[in-house]
RNA sequence: GGCGGGUUGGCGGAGAGGUUACGCAGCGGAUUGCAAAUCCGUGAAGACCGGUUCGAUUCCGGUACCCGCCUCCA
C-alpha cells in the first residue's frame, strides 16, 4: 500500500495519512457560493482536490472514497444578484429569480470544472436542502451553551470554545485587539458570529424556532459534512483564505455540537492564485473567469497543466507565458502518443509508480509532471498516455479525440506533402527554391509544421492549424 | 496593529545536510537548399547578516523585501 503523506494545516506538519476507515475515506471540500461564474482562482482548489481524489481512489479503490463538495446556494450575494435582475425588469418572483440564478450558476460551474478534467465529487449537496439539519445543529449549540438567540439572530458564543483560533493560529484576544469590524449591539462578544439571521418578506427565509430567517455563512458546511460524512472524517480542504474565519467557525460549530467526535482530522489549504505576479482583482483589471479563458482558446487541459506545475501550498502565478509553454508541451505529448503509442494497451496499464509516489508526497504535482516528461523522454508512450489520463490532464477519450483530429488533418495534408516534395525535387535540380519557399510560407501560415529532410517531406498539423487556409495552395 | 506564508540560475520551479534536479530560453555542434523538428554538448543559483556543523542553498536566530488573511473572496 502506498503511504500518503499530507501537510496538515491544523498541526502545521507533514503527516502520514491514516484514514479512519480505509473502506470509506471521507473528504469534504468547500465549494462555491453560486452567484456568478467561477473565476480562475476558484478553479485552483477544484484541481488540487480533484488530484487528491484521484490519488485516494487509486490507493484505496474508486469505491472507497467519498468526496463531498457543496454548493452554497443561500447567500446574500445571490439575493442581491437576483434583486438586481428583478429591478432590471426580469419576470418572476424574487424566489424564482434566485432559483434561476443558482441553477444557472451550478450548470456553468459544472461545465467549467468538467473542462478542467475534474471528476464530479461523490456528493454535491446544496445548502438549501440542509436547512433542517442546520436548524437542528443550531438548536443543539444553544442547548449546549455554545450559542444564544437575540433579536431574531442566533450567535455562536466564541468564548465557549477554548480551542477557538487554533486552526488559524490566532488568539481571540489578539483578534479583538486588531479588529476592524463594527460590533453589532446584540453580540455578547465582538468575535461572536452569526448562525442564523432574520429574513424580512423580501428575502428567502425558512421557519425556525427563532422566527423566519436564513442561515449564516459557515453553518452549512458543518451541517452537510455531518449529514454526508459523519461527525468525524478524514480530510477537509479549501483555499487558505477560508482558514479564517470560515474553517475556524466550522470547527467551532461542529466540535461544540459533537464534542465526542474530532470533526476533520487533516486540514488542507491551497494557497492563492495570482495573475502575472499580482493578486487577481476586479480593480486591477486582471480578473477573469475560467470561461473567459476557455473562450479565448486556452483549453482546460492547459489550465490544469499550468496549475499542476506549482505545489498547492504555494502561491500560483498564472501567466500567458506559462499557458503557452503548457500548450506546446501537451501538443508534444499528444503527437508522441499518436505516433508511437497504443491507447488500447495504455488502458491496461497502472499509473506510474513515480507519479503516484510524487502525489503521495503531499501532492507534489510538479514532480509528477517532471515524471510525465521522463516517460516521454524514455519512449514510454503508453505509460505517458495512461498517466495523462490518471492525472486528469487528458483523458483517454480526449486523447482519442485529439488523435482523430490529428489523423484526419494528416490525411488532408497528404496531397500537399506530395506536391511539395515534387516541387522540392525539381528545385534541387534548377536551384530555384522560390516556388518551394512560397508554398512553404503558405503552409506555415495555415499552421502546418513543415519538415523537409533527405528522407522526404513531412507535413504535420501545428497548434494553430487551420484547414481553411490551405485553400489556394497548389 | 495581529496572524500566516514566501525569497533558488535569464525565466518557471523541485528535492536533498556533503554527488547533474527538471523544463523553457541561451550558447556551441550535428543535420537541412534555407528552415523547422530532432540529436549531442554546455555555461548559469540559492535575498542579506550571524550561528550550529568537518561541511548548509537545505537546520537555528536576526535583517530586508514580497504576498496573503484579519471585510460572507478559493
Amino acid at each position: 500500500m502506498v503511504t500518503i503523506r499530507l501537510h496538515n494545516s491544523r498541526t502545521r506538519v507533514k503527516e502520514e495519512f491514516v484514514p479512519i476507515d480505509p473502506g470509506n475515506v471521507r473528504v469534504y471540500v468547500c465549494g462555491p457560493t453560486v452567484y456568478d461564474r467561477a473565476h480562475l482562482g476558484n478553479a485552483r482548489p477544484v484541481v488540487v482536490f480533484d488530484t487528491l481524489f484521484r490519488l485516494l481512489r487509486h490507493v484505496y479503490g474508486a469505491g472507497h472514497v467519498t468526496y463531498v463538495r457543496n454548493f452554497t446556494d443561500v447567500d446574500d450575494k445571490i439575493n442581491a444578484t437576483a434583486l438586481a435582475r428583478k429591478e432590471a425588469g426580469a419576470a418572476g418572483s424574487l424566489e424564482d429569480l434566485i432559483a434561476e440564478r443558482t441553477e444557472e450558476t451550478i450548470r456553468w460551474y459544472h461545465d467549467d470544472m468538467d473542462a478542467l478534467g475534474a471528476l464530479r465529487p461523490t456528493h454535491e449537496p446544496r445548502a438549501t436542502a440542509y436547512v433542517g439539519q442546520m436548524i437542528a445543529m443550531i438548536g443543539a449549540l444553544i442547548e449546549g451553551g455554545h450559542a444564544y438567540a437575540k433579536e431574531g439572530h442566533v450567535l455562536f458564543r466564541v468564548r465557549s470554545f477554548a480551542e477557538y483560533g487554533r486552526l488559524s493560529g490566532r488568539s481571540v484576544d489578539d483578534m479583538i485587539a486588531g479588529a476592524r469590524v463594527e460590533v453589532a449591539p446584540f453580540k455578547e462578544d465582538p468575535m461572536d458570529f452569526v448562525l442564523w439571521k432574520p429574513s424580512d418578506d423580501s428575502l428567502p427565509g425558512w421557519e425556525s424556532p427563532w422566527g423566519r430567517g436564513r442561515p449564516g455563512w459557515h453553518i452549512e458546511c458543518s451541517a452537510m459534512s455531518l449529514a454526508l460524512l459523519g461527525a468525524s472524517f478524514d480530510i477537509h480542504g479549501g483555499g487558505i483564505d477560508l482558514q479564517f474565519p470560515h474553517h475556524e467557525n466550522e470547527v467551532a460549530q461542529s466540535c461544540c455540537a459533537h464534542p465526542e467526535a474530532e470533526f476533520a482530522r487533516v486540514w488542507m489549504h491551497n494557497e492563492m492564485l495570482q495573475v502575472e505576479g499580482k493578486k487577481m482583482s476586479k480593480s486591477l483589471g486582471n480578473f477573469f473567469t475560467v470561461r473567459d479563458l476557455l473562450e479565448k482558446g486556452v483549453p482546460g487541459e492547459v489550465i490544469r497543466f499550468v496549475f499542476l506545475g506549482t505545489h498547492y501550498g504555494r502561491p500560483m502565478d498564472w501567466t500567458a507565458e506559462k499557458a503557452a509553454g503548457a500548450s506546446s508541451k501537451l501538443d508534444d505529448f499528444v503527437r508522441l502518443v499518436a505516433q508511437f503509442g497504443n491507447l488500447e494497451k495504455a488502458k491496461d496499464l497502472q499509473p506510474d509508480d513515480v507519479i503516484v509516489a510524487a502525489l503521495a508526497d503531499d501532492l507534489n504535482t510538479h514532480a509528477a509532471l517532471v515524471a510525465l516528461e521522463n516517460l516521454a523522454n524514455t519512449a514510454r508512450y503508453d505509460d505517458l498516455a495512461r498517466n495523462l489520463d490518471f492525472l486528469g490532464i487528458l483523458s483517454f477519450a480526449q486523447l482519442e479525440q485529439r488523435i482523430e483530429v490529428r489523423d484526419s488533418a494528416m490525411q488532408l495534408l497528404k496531397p500537399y506533402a506530395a506536391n511539395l516534395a515534387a516541387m522540392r525535387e525539381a528545385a534541387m535540380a534548377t536551384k530555384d527554391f522560390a516556388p518551394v519557399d512560397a508554398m512553404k510560407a503558405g503552409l506555415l501560415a495555415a499552421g502546418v509544421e513543415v519538415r523537409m529532410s533527405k528522407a522526404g517531406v513531412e507535413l504535420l498539423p501545428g497548434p494553430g492549424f487551420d484547414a481553411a487556409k490551405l485553400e489556394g495552395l497548389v
Side-chain angles (χ1 to χ4, degrees):
Chain A
M1 171 83 69
V2 178
T3 301
I4 297 175
R5 292 171 59 80
L6 299 172
H7 178 85
N8 187 347
S9 30
R10 189 168 61 82
T11 58
R12 284 151 225 281
V13 170
K14 207 195 267 190
E15 306 169 341
E16 181 171 335
F17 174 67
V18 182
I20 297 167
D21 173 11
N24 183 18
V25 181
R26 287 159 286 163
V27 181
Y28 187 94
V29 173
C30 289
T33 298
V34 282
Y35 67 100
D36 205 352
R37 279 273 187 202
H39 65 247
L40 191 62
N42 292 307
R44 170 114 109 136
V46 172
V47 171
V48 166
F49 294 106
D50 178 65
T51 306
L52 177 68
F53 187 36
R54 287 168 182 272
L55 172 69
L56 293 172
R57 283 161 60 95
H58 172 67
V59 173
Y60 294 97
H64 300 287
V65 184
T66 305
Y67 173 26
V68 177
R69 186 183 62 210
N70 66 287
F71 284 117
T72 296
D73 59 348
V74 46
D75 178 275
D76 289 349
K77 264 187 292 198
I78 302 172
N79 301 339
T81 310
L83 193 64
R85 281 193 175 183
K86 189 171 170 65
E87 281 167 359
S93 69
L94 185 65
E95 215 158 279
D96 291 340
L97 289 172
I98 288 172
E100 224 172 76
R101 181 64 176 176
T102 58
E103 289 296 336
E104 176 179 57
T105 308
I106 288 172
R107 222 165 29 240
W108 287 343
Y109 189 80
H110 276 146
D111 289 346
D112 295 348
M113 299 309 130
D114 288 354
L116 298 179
L119 302 169
R120 296 282 178 94
T122 321
H123 302 289
E124 297 183 280
R126 298 172 58 153
T128 47
Y130 289 83
V131 174
Q133 285 90 331
M134 294 184 221
I135 291 171
M137 186 176 272
I138 293 169
L141 287 171
I142 292 176
E143 210 161 299
H146 296 290
Y148 54 95
K150 213 159 179 193
E151 298 179 27
H153 292 69
V154 181
L155 290 122
F156 187 90
R157 185 177 281 127
V158 165
R159 298 282 180 184
S160 76
F161 182 52
E163 303 263 285
Y164 192 80
R166 195 176 141 207
L167 176 69
S168 53
R170 295 151 202 252
S171 86
V172 175
D173 293 319
D174 284 350
M175 283 189 282
I176 291 171
R180 291 182 281 167
V181 282
E182 217 173 297
V183 180
F186 46 78
K187 284 189 182 181
E188 278 180 12
D189 187 286
M191 291 312 294
D192 289 352
F193 59 90
V194 172
L195 297 170
W196 189 264
K197 51 191 168 186
S199 292
D200 63 32
D201 291 342
S202 74
L203 288 171
W206 289 260
E207 288 309 324
S208 81
W210 318 285
R212 184 172 175 278
R214 60 198 194 283
W217 189 36
H218 318 304
I219 191 69
E220 84 280 18
C221 286
S222 285
M224 289 187 281
S225 65
L226 176 69
L228 293 165
L229 298 176
S232 301
F233 57 93
D234 297 296
I235 299 171
H236 191 126
I240 187 72
D241 56 330
L242 291 181
Q243 192 182 38
F244 188 88
H246 184 57
H247 290 160
E248 195 69 60
N249 292 353
E250 268 187 68
V251 170
Q253 292 159 353
S254 293
C255 289
C256 289
H258 290 273
E260 78 290 354
E262 48 187 339
F263 194 41
R265 279 194 172 178
V266 179
W267 283 84
M268 292 176 71
H269 290 103
N270 63 276
E271 254 293 348
M272 299 292 96
L273 174 124
Q274 302 183 330
V275 175
E276 308 284 352
K278 296 206 172 70
K279 181 182 176 174
M280 181 163 78
S281 73
K282 285 180 180 163
S283 57
L284 284 173
N286 61 354
F287 182 95
F288 51 89
T289 64
V290 173
R291 180 55 44 183
D292 291 335
L293 276 183
L294 295 172
E295 282 175 359
K296 258 175 54 186
V298 180
E301 62 267 25
V302 168
I303 299 172
R304 189 178 182 102
F305 196 85
V306 170
F307 277 16
L308 295 182
T310 302
H311 184 89
Y312 74 87
R314 297 258 194 156
M316 214 239 21
D317 194 16
W318 173 269
T319 65
E321 193 184 344
K322 281 187 186 177
S327 176
S328 80
K329 182 65 69 187
L330 288 173
D331 284 338
D332 282 350
F333 286 164
V334 169
R335 180 176 56 78
L336 290 169
V337 171
Q339 261 182 291
F340 307 112
N342 179 325
L343 287 187
E344 291 315 307
K345 280 185 189 161
K347 285 176 186 171
D348 291 333
L349 294 170
Q350 283 295 308
D352 183 55
D353 287 343
V354 176
I355 288 178
V356 172
L359 296 187
D361 180 17
D362 195 30
L363 298 185
N364 190 341
T365 49
H366 188 274
L369 295 190
V370 171
L372 204 56
E373 191 126 7
N374 281 337
L375 294 176
N377 292 339
T378 52
R380 293 172 56 189
Y381 305 114
D382 293 342
D383 285 298
L384 176 62
R386 177 67 189 86
N387 288 282
L388 281 169
D389 175 85
F390 173 60
L391 290 168
I393 297 167
L394 287 167
S395 67
F396 282 123
Q398 284 173 294
L399 281 169
E400 268 161 28
Q401 199 243 336
R402 289 190 55 159
I403 289 169
E404 240 168 68
V405 168
R406 186 174 181 279
D407 285 347
S408 64
M410 300 267 280
Q411 274 316 110
L412 192 68
L413 287 172
K414 251 189 183 164
Y416 294 88
N419 209 328
L420 185 62
M423 285 168 76
R424 181 160 166 269
E425 194 79 14
M428 293 288 213
T430 63
K431 298 293 173 203
D432 176 15
F433 286 95
V436 181
D437 287 338
M439 170 95 173
K440 192 173 87 176
L443 289 165
L444 289 174
V448 180
E449 278 181 29
V450 181
R451 298 181 187 174
M452 289 185 267
S453 70
K454 263 186 213 153
V457 171
E458 198 180 6
L459 298 184
L460 299 168
F465 176 62
D466 182 357
K469 289 191 183 157
L470 291 175
E471 295 292 328
L473 294 175
V474 188

